[in-house]
Amino acid sequence: SRFESCWPALMKDSHGVVIIFNPELPSHLKELEMWYSCFVQQQPLLDSQCLLVAHHKPGTAGDTENLPLASPLNKLRLIHSNLEEDPEDVRMEFMKYFRSIISIINESREREEMSIIS
Protein backbone atom coordinates (compact mmCIF):
# COMPACT_ATOMS: atom_id res chain seq x y z
CA SER A 1 0.00 0.00 0.00
CA ARG A 2 1.11 3.56 -0.55
CA PHE A 3 1.29 4.18 3.20
CA GLU A 4 3.84 1.46 3.95
CA SER A 5 6.64 4.01 4.14
CA CYS A 6 4.85 5.60 7.12
CA TRP A 7 4.50 2.35 9.07
CA PRO A 8 7.82 2.54 10.94
CA ALA A 9 6.84 5.96 12.28
CA LEU A 10 3.42 4.65 13.32
CA MET A 11 4.94 1.65 15.06
CA LYS A 12 7.70 3.47 16.91
CA ASP A 13 7.23 3.13 20.67
CA SER A 14 3.70 1.77 20.29
CA HIS A 15 2.34 -0.27 23.18
CA GLY A 16 -0.74 -1.73 21.54
CA VAL A 17 -2.34 -2.48 18.22
CA VAL A 18 -6.06 -2.49 17.48
CA ILE A 19 -6.98 -4.04 14.13
CA ILE A 20 -10.52 -3.30 12.95
CA PHE A 21 -11.83 -5.29 10.02
CA ASN A 22 -15.00 -6.23 8.20
CA PRO A 23 -15.53 -9.97 8.79
CA GLU A 24 -17.82 -10.18 5.75
CA LEU A 25 -14.94 -9.40 3.37
CA PRO A 26 -12.68 -12.37 2.58
CA SER A 27 -9.96 -9.91 1.52
CA HIS A 28 -9.96 -8.41 5.02
CA LEU A 29 -9.50 -11.83 6.59
CA LYS A 30 -6.48 -12.39 4.36
CA GLU A 31 -5.01 -8.96 5.09
CA LEU A 32 -5.36 -9.54 8.83
CA GLU A 33 -2.38 -11.89 8.76
CA MET A 34 -0.23 -9.24 7.08
CA TRP A 35 -1.24 -6.55 9.57
CA TYR A 36 -0.57 -8.89 12.49
CA SER A 37 2.81 -9.88 11.09
CA CYS A 38 3.92 -6.27 10.46
CA PHE A 39 2.48 -4.53 13.48
CA VAL A 40 2.65 -7.19 16.19
CA GLN A 41 5.18 -9.92 15.41
CA GLN A 42 7.89 -7.73 13.89
CA GLN A 43 7.74 -5.13 16.65
CA PRO A 44 7.72 -7.42 18.68
CA LEU A 45 4.60 -6.97 20.80
CA LEU A 46 2.87 -9.60 22.92
CA ASP A 47 -0.36 -11.08 21.63
CA SER A 48 -2.04 -9.56 24.68
CA GLN A 49 -1.13 -6.13 23.29
CA CYS A 50 -3.23 -6.75 20.19
CA LEU A 51 -7.01 -6.45 19.93
CA LEU A 52 -9.03 -7.58 16.91
CA VAL A 53 -12.35 -5.86 16.28
CA ALA A 54 -14.72 -7.53 13.82
CA HIS A 55 -16.99 -4.66 12.86
CA HIS A 56 -20.41 -5.63 11.54
CA LYS A 57 -22.19 -3.04 9.44
CA PRO A 58 -25.80 -2.17 10.27
CA GLY A 59 -28.19 -4.77 8.93
CA THR A 60 -25.58 -7.52 8.56
CA ALA A 61 -26.20 -10.13 11.19
CA GLY A 62 -22.88 -11.83 10.63
CA ASP A 63 -21.66 -15.01 12.26
CA THR A 64 -20.15 -13.91 15.54
CA GLU A 65 -19.40 -17.45 16.66
CA ASN A 66 -16.98 -18.98 14.18
CA LEU A 67 -14.77 -16.62 12.30
CA PRO A 68 -12.33 -18.66 10.22
CA LEU A 69 -9.16 -17.12 11.69
CA ALA A 70 -5.94 -19.00 11.16
CA SER A 71 -3.40 -19.54 13.91
CA PRO A 72 -1.91 -17.40 15.51
CA LEU A 73 -4.77 -14.92 14.95
CA ASN A 74 -7.24 -17.24 16.65
CA LYS A 75 -5.35 -16.78 19.94
CA LEU A 76 -5.86 -13.01 20.00
CA ARG A 77 -8.57 -11.20 21.92
CA LEU A 78 -11.43 -10.67 19.48
CA ILE A 79 -14.52 -8.54 19.96
CA HIS A 80 -17.47 -8.16 17.63
CA SER A 81 -18.75 -4.63 17.29
CA ASN A 82 -22.18 -3.77 16.10
CA LEU A 83 -22.71 -0.21 17.21
CA GLU A 84 -26.44 -0.32 16.49
CA GLU A 85 -27.12 -3.22 18.79
CA ASP A 86 -24.55 -3.14 21.55
CA PRO A 87 -22.29 -0.09 21.75
CA GLU A 88 -21.92 -0.45 25.52
CA ASP A 89 -20.48 -3.94 25.21
CA VAL A 90 -17.84 -2.74 22.77
CA ARG A 91 -16.94 0.14 25.08
CA MET A 92 -16.52 -2.21 28.05
CA GLU A 93 -14.32 -4.61 26.07
CA PHE A 94 -12.21 -1.76 24.79
CA MET A 95 -11.73 -0.39 28.31
CA LYS A 96 -10.63 -3.84 29.49
CA TYR A 97 -8.08 -3.99 26.69
CA PHE A 98 -6.91 -0.45 27.45
CA ARG A 99 -6.41 -1.28 31.13
CA SER A 100 -4.38 -4.38 30.24
CA ILE A 101 -2.09 -2.23 28.05
CA ILE A 102 -1.60 0.26 30.88
CA SER A 103 -0.61 -2.50 33.29
CA ILE A 104 1.87 -3.92 30.74
CA ILE A 105 3.43 -0.44 30.41
CA ASN A 106 3.62 -0.02 34.18
CA GLU A 107 5.21 -3.44 34.66
CA SER A 108 7.89 -2.81 32.06
CA ARG A 109 8.60 0.61 33.57
CA GLU A 110 9.01 -0.96 37.01
CA ARG A 111 11.36 -3.59 35.58
CA GLU A 112 13.46 -0.86 33.96
CA GLU A 113 13.65 1.08 37.21
CA MET A 114 14.65 -2.03 39.14
CA SER A 115 17.40 -2.81 36.64
CA ILE A 116 18.76 0.74 36.96
CA ILE A 117 18.76 0.46 40.77
CA SER A 118 20.41 -2.96 40.93
Side-chain angles (χ1 to χ4, degrees):
S1 91
R2 57 199 161 147
F3 297 117
E4 274 181 49
S5 57
C6 309
W7 289 1
L10 284 173
M11 291 189 251
K12 187 180 179 324
D13 299 333
S14 66
H15 294 290
V17 175
V18 178
I19 302 174
I20 301 171
F21 64 100
N22 180 342
E24 270 100 66
L25 292 182
S27 62
H28 274 206
L29 294 176
K30 277 200 194 74
E31 282 171 29
L32 263 182
E33 296 185 36
M34 182 211 46
W35 291 108
Y36 173 75
S37 167
C38 292
F39 281 84
V40 181
Q41 288 179 312
Q42 289 172 31
Q43 284 248 64
L45 291 178
L46 301 169
D47 282 353
S48 57
Q49 288 168 280
C50 181
L51 174 68
L52 298 181
V53 181
H55 185 65
H56 299 269
K57 290 196 174 133
T60 60
D63 185 359
T64 58
E65 292 309 306
N66 349 303
L67 257 189
L69 294 181
S71 177
L73 295 171
N74 56 12
K75 297 186 187 72
L76 301 174
R77 183 190 297 211
L78 166 71
I79 62 174
H80 289 271
S81 78
N82 182 331
L83 298 180
E84 270 190 332
E85 284 173 29
D86 214 344
E88 190 53 31
D89 203 37
V90 175
R91 202 175 72 85
M92 294 293 294
E93 284 294 334
F94 193 77
M95 290 308 291
K96 250 190 272 180
Y97 165 72
F98 202 62
R99 278 198 288 270
S100 73
I101 294 293
I102 290 170
S103 66
I104 287 169
I105 294 169
N106 288 339
E107 279 166 24
S108 70
R109 195 169 288 151
E110 279 166 24
R111 270 199 306 276
E112 273 170 36
E113 286 168 6
M114 290 308 287
S115 68
I116 292 168
I117 293 166
S118 47

